[in-house]
Amino acid sequence: MIKLTGIHKTFGKHEVLKGIDLEVAKGEVVAILGPSGSGKTTLLRCINYLEKPGEGEIRIGDFAFDAKRPGKKEIHELRQRSAMVFQQYNLFAHKTALENVIEGLVVVRRISKEEALKRGVELLEKVGLGFKLDAYPSQLSGGQQQRVGIARALAMEPEVLLLDEPTSALDPELVGEVLAVIRKIAREGITMIIVTHEIGFAQDVASHVVFMDGGVVVEEGKPSELFTHPKEERTKQFLKRITPELSYSI
C-alpha cells in the first residue's frame, strides 16, 4: 500500500532523515513515536511532499516516483492519494466549518457544489459536528477545529490519512474527543500514519508502532510487543521515561 525507500532529508548541514525505509499495508494504522527532533513530522511531511526529500522513492498503491526529481504532475498525483491533518488545524478563518470541508472538493476535485455540500454535511456529522455547519473557526473549540480538519482531509477520499500530532495543540480536556473520532475512523479500515505522543492511544488504536530517533527507525513492531518487550536499548530508555508505570524486559 505505502512503501518508503531510502528517504533522506537535509536542512542546511543538518541531516534530519537518514535513509528511512517503511512499509504500511492497506488498512493498517501506524503510530510513529520518538523524542522531539527525531524526524517524525519531517517524515510525514515528506510523504505528502510538503517537504522535498533529498533522495528516495515514495510509493502509494500503484503510484511510485523518485522523490528527488518529481514533476508537478507527480506531486499532484501524490497529494490526491494522501491527505494531511495538521497540529494547528490550518482552517480558513473566513470560511465556515462546512465551507472548510468542501473547499478541496470544489476547487481541487471540481465536483458540483450540491454534491460537495452533501458530502461535507455527512463528514461533519461523522465527526460529531453536524450542529456546527455554519460556525466559523473562531466560534469552535480547539477540539472542534481539529475535527473539522479531520473531516476536511477525509473529504478528499485519500488512500492514506497522515496525522501530525493531532492532539498536541489541545487543552487536556479536549484531547479525548479528537482521539475518539480517530478511533472511529480506524475501525472503518482507513490506512493511517499518525505521529503522536499519546502512548495509550497508540497502544489502543495502532496495528504497528515505529520508534524513531536521530533520523532513523530504531525499532518497529506490534504495540503488544514493542511496548512490553522492546529490543533496542534506546527504545527502552524512551519508554521508561514517558511511561514509567509500564514494565519492560530489560
Side-chain angles (χ1 to χ4, degrees), residues 51-122:
E51 296 288 355
K52 179 183 177 181
E55 60 181 277
E57 182 183 83
I58 298 174
R59 176 182 292 274
I60 299 180
D62 59 358
F63 171 72
F65 71 99
D66 181 347
K68 188 176 181 179
R69 302 179 183 85
K72 290 182 179 180
K73 189 174 182 179
E74 290 174 312
I75 294 174
H76 177 74
E77 176 71 17
L78 178 66
R79 290 177 178 165
Q80 291 286 302
R81 293 172 179 255
S82 60
M84 191 93 165
V85 176
F86 300 91
Q87 294 181 32
Q88 301 293 338
Y89 327 134
N90 287 16
L91 301 180
F92 294 112
H94 63 290
K95 292 183 181 292
T96 65
L98 183 56
E99 289 170 339
N100 266 281
V101 172
I102 70 170
E103 178 77 8
L105 292 175
V106 175
V107 176
V108 179
R109 290 289 176 86
R110 299 189 182 281
I111 71 173
S112 70
K113 185 75 173 287
E114 182 180 2
E115 185 179 350
L117 287 170
K118 181 181 178 181
R119 176 68 173 154
V121 171
E122 290 174 351

Side-chain angles (χ1 to χ4, degrees), residues 9-239:
K9 176 62 182 177
T10 301
F11 292 105
K13 295 182 179 180
H14 179 47
E15 189 176 17
V16 179
L17 300 178
K18 303 174 182 179
I20 300 293
D21 296 328
L22 180 65
E23 291 191 43
V24 181
K26 185 175 182 179
E28 195 170 27
V29 177
V30 173
I32 301 181
L33 310 175
S36 297
S38 59
K40 309 182 301 296
T41 292
T42 299
L43 178 62
L44 213 63
R45 291 174 65 85
C46 282
I47 296 173
N48 195 239
Y49 223 79
L50 294 173
E51 296 288 355
K52 179 183 177 181
E55 60 181 277
E57 182 183 83
I58 298 174
R59 176 182 292 274
I60 299 180
D62 59 358
F63 171 72
F65 71 99
D66 181 347
K68 188 176 181 179
R69 302 179 183 85
K72 290 182 179 180
K73 189 174 182 179
E74 290 174 312
I75 294 174
H76 177 74
E77 176 71 17
L78 178 66
R79 290 177 178 165
Q80 291 286 302
R81 293 172 179 255
S82 60
M84 191 93 165
V85 176
F86 300 91
Q87 294 181 32
Q88 301 293 338
Y89 327 134
N90 287 16
L91 301 180
F92 294 112
H94 63 290
K95 292 183 181 292
T96 65
L98 183 56
E99 289 170 339
N100 266 281
V101 172
I102 70 170
E103 178 77 8
L105 292 175
V106 175
V107 176
V108 179
R109 290 289 176 86
R110 299 189 182 281
I111 71 173
S112 70
K113 185 75 173 287
E114 182 180 2
E115 185 179 350
L117 287 170
K118 181 181 178 181
R119 176 68 173 154
V121 171
E122 290 174 351
L123 286 168
L124 285 171
E125 289 176 345
K126 178 194 285 280
V127 300
L129 291 175
F131 65 106
K132 290 287 188 179
L133 303 179
D134 298 321
Y136 289 90
S138 62
Q139 299 170 316
L140 300 173
S141 70
Q144 290 171 337
Q145 290 184 62
Q146 189 59 289
R147 284 187 278 159
V148 173
I150 293 171
R152 176 182 59 186
L154 291 173
M156 303 305 287
E157 299 182 333
E159 293 183 36
V160 56
L161 188 62
L162 310 170
L163 300 100
D164 181 19
E165 297 198 32
T167 61
S168 66
L170 301 178
D171 292 333
E173 65 269 22
L174 300 177
V175 169
E177 65 187 56
V178 173
L179 295 183
V181 167
I182 298 173
R183 283 190 179 93
K184 180 179 179 180
I185 296 169
R187 288 195 294 269
E188 295 178 359
I190 296 174
T191 306
M192 290 192 280
I193 303 177
I194 308 171
V195 168
T196 183
H197 58 273
E198 300 285 348
I199 300 299
F201 172 73
Q203 288 177 299
D204 181 36
V205 175
S207 52
H208 194 79
V209 178
V210 174
F211 172 62
M212 289 183 62
D213 190 27
V216 301
V217 173
V218 176
E219 187 170 353
E220 58 181 302
K222 294 180 180 180
S224 59
E225 297 172 355
L226 190 141
F227 287 122
T228 58
H229 298 89
K231 298 176 181 177
E232 300 297 328
E233 186 60 35
R234 181 65 186 96
T235 312
K236 295 173 184 177
Q237 293 171 356
F238 176 78
L239 292 175

